[in-house]
Amino acid sequence: HYFAQERVLFFLFFPVAAMKRSTDVTSSRRKCRKAHFSAPSSVRRKLMSAPLSKELRQKYNVRSMPIRKDDEVVVTRGHYKGTQVGKVITVYRKRFVVHIERIQRDKATGATVNVGIHPSKVEIVKLKLDRDRKTILDRKNRSKLADKGKGKIKEEEVQAMEVSA
């Protein structure tokens, strides 16, 4: 009983900003997990995006890209971290993993199998560019968006809007 009163007082003195922005999207953990794990392949493609290396990020002004079969990547987290650059062999959308060229382990039977690594734990070092990929890079290019007047609003712009209003 006392704890409940204390809690009410806490919220009176420290109002918490509502985190939810859109009423169309759920915040329920159960529903979010269901949506994630039963997502179709087309949605999984976007979910399986990997960050670009600093050089590629500088070159294309893009932070991450959906990973693809012949991209060259380096593992940034986990047991296989920091090993040499490897080419992506398969993008296994069903399991949310990618298989990389020389990243394998031996089974008890003696057979070698590819180790699945989540795309967020790798960094794309070299992109396999084709026409579709180039259009995606152009669309996502941040400097071009800034030229069009899209993106983050700066403080000066807010003040200018307030003065004119």
Side-chain angles (χ1 to χ4, degrees):
H1 182 73
Y2 174 73
F3 176 73
Q5 286 176 336
E6 200 173 87
R7 206 163 153 206
V8 169
L9 288 173
F10 178 82
F11 286 115
L12 285 174
F13 292 114
F14 302 102
V16 180
M19 289 303 291
K20 190 162 180 182
R21 304 254 185 269
S22 172
T23 53
D24 302 331
V25 183
T26 184
S27 297
S28 164
R29 181 171 191 266
R30 178 170 66 170
K31 289 179 186 175
C32 287
R33 283 176 59 82
K34 183 175 183 184
H36 181 269
F37 291 110
S38 62
S41 181
S42 56
V43 175
R44 284 178 188 227
R45 178 182 161 273
K46 292 270 289 212
L47 289 172
M48 293 177 69
S49 290
L52 300 183
S53 67
K54 288 210 167 58
E55 295 81 40
L56 289 177
R57 205 184 304 173
Q58 207 84 78
K59 185 177 177 183
Y60 296 113
N61 264 317
V62 174
R63 191 170 186 83
S64 65
M65 282 284 285
I67 203 157
R68 205 203 130 141
K69 189 178 177 183
D70 290 317
D71 288 341
E72 287 184 18
V73 297
V74 64
V75 181
T76 56
R77 291 281 183 274
H79 181 69
Y80 299 95
K81 171 172 103 174
T83 53
Q84 70 281 6
V85 175
K87 194 176 262 191
V88 175
I89 305 167
T90 52
V91 178
Y92 203 154
R93 288 187 192 169
K94 189 176 182 181
R95 291 191 180 171
F96 287 103
V97 294
V98 292
H99 293 147
I100 303 166
E101 220 168 30
R102 288 174 293 277
I103 297 182
Q104 298 171 325
R105 65 186 293 263
D106 298 324
K107 286 173 67 170
T109 58
T112 58
V113 288
N114 292 313
V115 176
I117 294 170
H118 195 273
S120 66
K121 306 303 175 202
V122 300
E123 194 175 71
I124 300 174
V125 181
K126 188 169 176 234
L127 288 164
K128 181 177 194 302
L129 285 174
D130 55 11
R131 193 175 62 224
D132 295 333
R133 217 98 191 271
K134 283 178 181 164
T135 56
I136 292 168
L137 284 169
D138 284 340
R139 191 177 66 232
K140 289 181 85 172
N141 190 332
R142 286 181 165 167
S143 61
K144 286 184 182 175
L145 287 176
D147 294 343
K148 289 181 187 173
K150 293 184 178 178
K152 286 190 177 176
I153 299 173
K154 295 178 184 74
E155 235 177 273
E156 301 90 52
E157 294 172 20
V158 172
Q159 289 171 350
M161 282 191 265
E162 288 173 355
V163 171
S164 63

